[in-house]
Amino acid sequence: MTVGGWRPGRVVEAISATRSARILRLEVPGWPGNDAGQHVDIRLTAEDGYQAVRSYSLGSYGASETVELAVDEIPDGEVSPYLVEDVLPGDELEVKGPLGGYFVWRPGGEAPVQLIAGGSGIVPMMAMVRAATDAGAAAAVRLLYSVRTPEDAIYRDELELRAGDGGVGLTWRYTRAAPDGWPDVVGRVDDELLRTAVWAPDRQPIVYVCGPTGFVEHVADALVGLGHASARIRTERFGGA
Amino acid sequence: MAVVSRGFGARRRESDPRLPPGQYLTEDFPVLSAGPTPRIEQDEWRFGIRTEGGDAVSWTWDEFMALPIEDVHTDIHCVTRWSKLGTSWRGVSLDTLLDTVDTDAEYAMAHSYGGYTTNVPLEDLLGGKAWVAFEFEGEPLDPEHGGPARLLVPHLYFWKSAKWVRGLTLMADDEPGFWEQNGYNMHGDPWTEERYW
């Protein structure tokens, strides 16, 4: 797997996703396409030549030259506030990738598939949900999505749409506040939820967990405790600036 | 000529000559690993070295603690672009450990509890450049950071500093480890940005 050099990318769409997150679509001429779950490096250059690079998961997959990021703003960050608040359609940046050959799902890949996302950890999962739905494999895929409140859910409408008849199994877990009349517990993902909303260990699912470090540590530990094989649990964690 | 991003740069960070190119400073200690955190008790922990000829040596935790222990003050650099400056560790030098075996190998594969592997040229492990570390900032190494013990090769990107390390296999020829098979560089020098293939 060879990663090419920096490619110029042009912002073609910038859509508000939540109070703190924005979905960016970038046109990247020559983009070779990417698997669901891969990420890119984004390089920003100031007028005086100063540069900063950060990695972002791709919400998109496949052969298009348009790629999609969903960026959650880190309040004291250097790059994410620019991408969430400042960048506009027509602006240019640079893209390197696709990167990562491990936290990926490909059509025809292992099944059943369990996706467990915390917060903006949904982004690579969205690419996998899209890939699985488009490949007719949605029934083998379950997604457990933990967010603080309904307003904090990135991709909420599309996920509901893809969880319709015969679609992806979708379970929401709200950790701070749920919609009115919500029938389930509000609080962090616990063993009870991991027993009921996740494919059972004897089905031998491949499990992808993505989110903040504390979330991923807790969920991965709990899954092992419930009998899931470590080797079938893939994690991607984020934290820091 | 790089593409200029309109309006970028207002929140730029201080630069620091100790930062390799493309890195930014972090004060916390991000955790990056491919799967669940293995939980290894000290009394079940072993560290072993197997040579290219098949000879093997290994240490229990107590035997390991009886070896010469060094204090290490160093900067660390993750391929995901965070760097942490002035970290303090304690561990046993790879010079001490490799001194016990007879080898002409030029490469080592580090093996971890949990199945992780990473390849490192032997010359990057010798000469006071690498340790098996079991303390960070005066405390036993947390499991999520690789405790009870991890490899510490601070002059290379930190994915080479295998967490939960349990041994080395010495090899005449280089072979890719886990991330190396998944697109990362065979060597990983932060100063020349050896990130990917």
Side-chain angles (χ1 to χ4, degrees):
Chain A
M1 179 166 52
T2 303
V3 176
W6 292 102
R7 297 172 200 273
R10 179 184 296 273
V11 178
V12 291
E13 254 186 304
I15 306 159
S16 178
T18 72
R19 289 172 290 201
S20 62
R22 203 150 73 143
I23 293 170
L24 300 178
R25 293 206 179 89
L26 314 174
E27 207 172 76
V28 186
W31 182 252
N34 64 277
D35 289 323
Q38 288 191 295
H39 59 279
V40 290
D41 279 354
I42 297 289
R43 181 164 80 179
L44 301 172
T45 303
E47 276 183 22
D48 64 358
Y50 172 80
Q51 294 184 323
V53 180
R54 296 291 185 277
S55 294
Y56 291 98
S57 291
L58 292 168
S60 53
Y61 81 99
S64 169
E65 288 191 345
T66 303
V67 299
E68 180 182 299
L69 323 175
V71 181
D72 200 20
E73 182 168 347
I74 298 163
D76 61 348
E78 177 186 3
V79 169
S80 64
Y82 174 78
L83 293 176
V84 173
E85 293 178 22
D86 300 342
V87 81
L88 293 172
D91 287 346
E92 292 187 303
L93 40 70
E94 289 172 295
V95 181
K96 181 187 283 214
L99 304 171
Y102 177 69
F103 199 84
V104 299
W105 184 84
R106 300 180 182 93
E110 292 188 81
V113 179
Q114 179 68 51
L115 310 174
I116 305 177
S120 57
I122 191 64
V123 182
M125 310 297 196
M126 187 70 232
M128 295 186 204
V129 165
R130 287 169 169 170
T133 318
D134 296 350
V141 178
R142 287 184 177 177
L143 169 65
L144 169 58
Y145 186 7
S146 168
V147 283
R148 287 189 295 264
T149 74
E151 293 73 35
D152 291 305
I154 304 172
Y155 293 120
R156 173 172 205 92
D157 293 347
E158 185 177 342
L159 286 171
E160 293 287 0
L161 201 66
R162 290 180 184 265
D165 266 358
V168 168
L170 176 61
T171 303
W172 296 97
R173 169 52 64 100
Y174 301 106
T175 60
R176 301 271 174 82
D180 287 344
W182 183 249
D184 294 330
V185 174
V186 172
R188 75 176 192 160
V189 170
D190 55 17
D191 283 8
E192 174 62 21
L193 184 64
L194 292 174
R195 262 192 292 268
T196 54
V198 171
W199 293 111
D202 61 11
R203 297 286 305 270
Q204 297 189 289
I206 177 112
V207 187
Y208 297 83
V209 189
C210 183
T213 294
F215 173 84
V216 173
E217 280 292 308
H218 169 73
V219 168
D221 279 353
L223 288 168
V224 171
L226 291 169
H228 290 268
S230 284
R232 300 190 64 79
I233 302 170
R234 299 182 178 202
T235 61
E236 191 156 272
R237 307 151 206 246
F238 51 81
Chain B
M1 179 63 197
V3 167
V4 170
S5 296
R6 180 200 57 82
F8 173 68
R11 299 172 182 87
R12 73 181 58 185
R13 298 277 169 91
E14 291 293 310
S15 66
D16 188 307
R18 293 174 294 175
L19 280 181
Q23 298 292 112
Y24 63 87
L25 273 179
T26 184
E27 299 299 326
D28 59 6
F29 195 167
V31 174
L32 294 149
S33 37
T37 294
R39 310 278 160 180
I40 311 300
E41 300 297 329
Q42 288 177 2
D43 60 9
E44 60 183 280
W45 183 86
R46 298 284 184 281
F47 184 82
I49 299 175
R50 181 177 295 275
T51 69
E52 72 278 24
D55 296 336
V57 57
S58 81
W59 294 266
T60 65
W61 187 263
D62 288 344
E63 289 165 348
F64 201 78
M65 291 301 132
L67 297 170
I69 290 167
E70 298 182 6
D71 289 299
V72 184
H73 299 281
T74 188
D75 304 335
I76 57 177
H77 312 290
C78 179
V79 69
T80 63
R81 298 180 184 277
W82 58 261
S83 289
K84 214 170 155 51
L85 302 179
T87 59
S88 295
W89 307 77
R90 293 185 83 218
V92 174
S93 169
L94 266 292
D95 292 310
T96 301
L97 298 167
L98 288 163
D99 200 33
T100 62
V101 299
D102 184 20
T103 180
D104 293 317
E106 293 189 21
Y107 299 93
M109 185 71 78
H111 296 264
S112 297
Y113 290 95
Y116 180 77
T117 55
T118 190
N119 55 316
V120 189
L122 222 53
E123 66 174 18
D124 285 289
L125 294 177
L126 294 170
K129 287 185 284 195
W131 296 265
V132 172
F134 50 83
E135 261 186 43
F136 175 71
E137 304 295 351
E139 301 287 338
L141 195 56
D142 281 339
E144 67 182 45
H145 292 304
R150 75 181 297 161
L151 202 57
L152 177 65
V153 194
H155 71 289
L156 298 179
Y157 282 126
F158 222 43
W159 91 81
K160 296 289 184 181
S161 294
K163 297 181 194 178
W164 315 294
V165 73
R166 64 179 176 83
L168 301 177
T169 305
L170 306 183
M171 312 181 291
D173 300 307
D174 204 5
E175 287 175 27
F178 177 80
W179 286 123
E180 294 81 10
Q181 291 170 32
N182 284 285
Y184 283 88
N185 189 274
M186 289 290 273
H187 184 232
D189 180 352
W191 295 93
T192 54
E193 293 203 72
E194 291 176 336
R195 297 176 189 276
Y196 317 115
W197 283 96

